[in-house]
Amino acid sequence: DTAVSQTPKYLVTQMGNDKSIKCEQNLGHDTMYWYKQDSKKFLKIMFSYNNKELIINETVPNRFSPKSPDKAHLNLHINSLELGDSAVYFCASSQYRGKAFFGQGTRLTVV
Amino acid sequence: DQQVKQNSPSLSVQEGRISILNCDYTNSMFDYFLWYKKYPAEGPTFLISISSIKDKNEDGRFTVFLNKSAKHLSLHIVPSQPGDSAVYFCAASASGGSQGNLIFGKGTKLSVKP
């Protein structure tokens, strides 16, 4: 059983489209995250969310929005995709301030 | 503004020898540090962590050392094995503020040669 799973693994789409990436964790963790790994290989936090609080990295455009239907899911919605959004997106989960477990990543390519 | 820095993009080591990966940080509020290992096309996997109340933590072949005064930590792998070849990320978090958010370094690619 995969602890943190995200789908799809690859996503190719045109500029201007709206897309979603799904993430699920079966670890019973209370906090979930989205990270972006850009072309320079930096892993940057985008969002962290638990059932009480959403924390947004101020550098993230408001075209990106996390949606959490329940504690085990944190999906990432992206509106009006731009070329610069091409990156690998990682979902992760942890207990508060514990070690984070990562999904396998979603490689998004905007053409 | 890089709060966590891994200044060596790559490191090559002979099998059986020691690998030493280094990490520096600038934020004095960081109090929890982790090392992650990443293979291509996979997500990072947790390796070892250390709290700021300690200066050393050991788990099998992996040892992390923390020097708070120098704002420096290092990961020692001994003996190194070819399966250790991967990208290693240093990460840090601080209590308060964006609790739990890990700030990552850029990674060091370790190659262990047979």
Side-chain angles (χ1 to χ4, degrees):
Chain A
D1 274 349
T2 305
V4 181
S5 61
Q6 50 182 113
T7 55
K9 187 169 183 178
Y10 300 97
L11 182 56
V12 181
T13 188
Q14 290 187 324
M15 277 196 312
N17 283 352
D18 303 337
K19 289 294 178 185
S20 296
I21 306 172
K22 295 185 177 181
C23 179
E24 176 182 4
Q25 56 99 0
N26 62 6
L27 298 166
H29 287 161
D30 58 13
T31 307
M32 296 184 72
Y33 312 85
W34 278 102
Y35 282 84
K36 177 181 179 180
Q37 186 176 33
D38 60 22
S39 57
K40 295 182 179 179
K41 305 301 182 187
F42 274 109
L43 268 165
K44 293 182 181 176
I45 182 77
M46 300 177 70
F47 305 99
S48 66
Y49 182 78
N50 62 28
N51 57 6
K52 298 177 185 175
E53 189 177 17
L54 170 66
I55 298 175
I56 303 171
N57 185 322
E58 64 213 16
T59 66
V60 175
N62 57 16
R63 298 181 295 103
F64 290 77
S65 58
K67 298 281 195 298
S68 181
D70 55 57
K71 191 177 170 181
H73 296 83
L74 184 67
N75 303 324
L76 182 64
H77 296 267
I78 316 169
N79 295 325
S80 303
L81 277 155
E82 300 177 356
L83 293 176
D85 298 332
S86 296
V88 182
Y89 293 84
F90 289 99
C91 176
S93 72
S94 74
Q95 283 300 103
Y96 175 71
R97 297 213 70 211
K99 63 187 181 187
F101 290 78
F102 283 79
Q104 65 180 1
T106 296
R107 181 173 292 277
L108 172 66
T109 303
V110 182
V111 297
Chain B
D1 178 29
Q2 281 182 255
Q3 298 184 66
V4 178
K5 301 178 185 180
Q6 293 177 257
N7 292 321
S8 298
S10 62
L11 175 67
S12 183
V13 171
Q14 205 68 32
E15 181 179 5
R17 307 295 278 264
I18 185 171
S19 296
I20 301 176
L21 297 101
N22 293 303
C23 178
D24 298 294
Y25 61 95
T26 58
N27 188 340
S28 57
M29 299 300 293
F30 287 149
D31 59 0
Y32 185 52
F33 304 89
L34 307 90
W35 284 94
Y36 280 80
K37 177 178 178 179
K38 185 182 181 303
Y39 293 117
E42 293 184 11
T45 55
F46 171 79
L47 199 55
I48 192 168
S49 64
I50 188 167
S51 160
S52 61
I53 62 173
K54 293 185 173 182
D55 54 19
K56 176 182 175 181
N57 189 25
E58 191 171 353
D59 183 1
R61 296 185 297 114
F62 303 91
T63 303
V64 56
F65 296 91
L66 175 62
N67 182 335
K68 289 186 289 294
S69 61
K71 292 192 178 68
H72 177 84
L73 64 156
S74 61
L75 174 68
H76 292 211
I77 306 173
V78 55
S80 301
Q81 299 173 354
D84 296 330
S85 297
V87 177
Y88 289 78
F89 288 96
C90 172
S93 72
S95 55
S98 303
Q99 294 95 333
N101 290 356
L102 296 177
I103 308 300
F104 282 84
K106 198 173 177 180
T108 296
K109 184 175 182 179
L110 174 65
S111 299
V112 180
K113 301 191 182 307

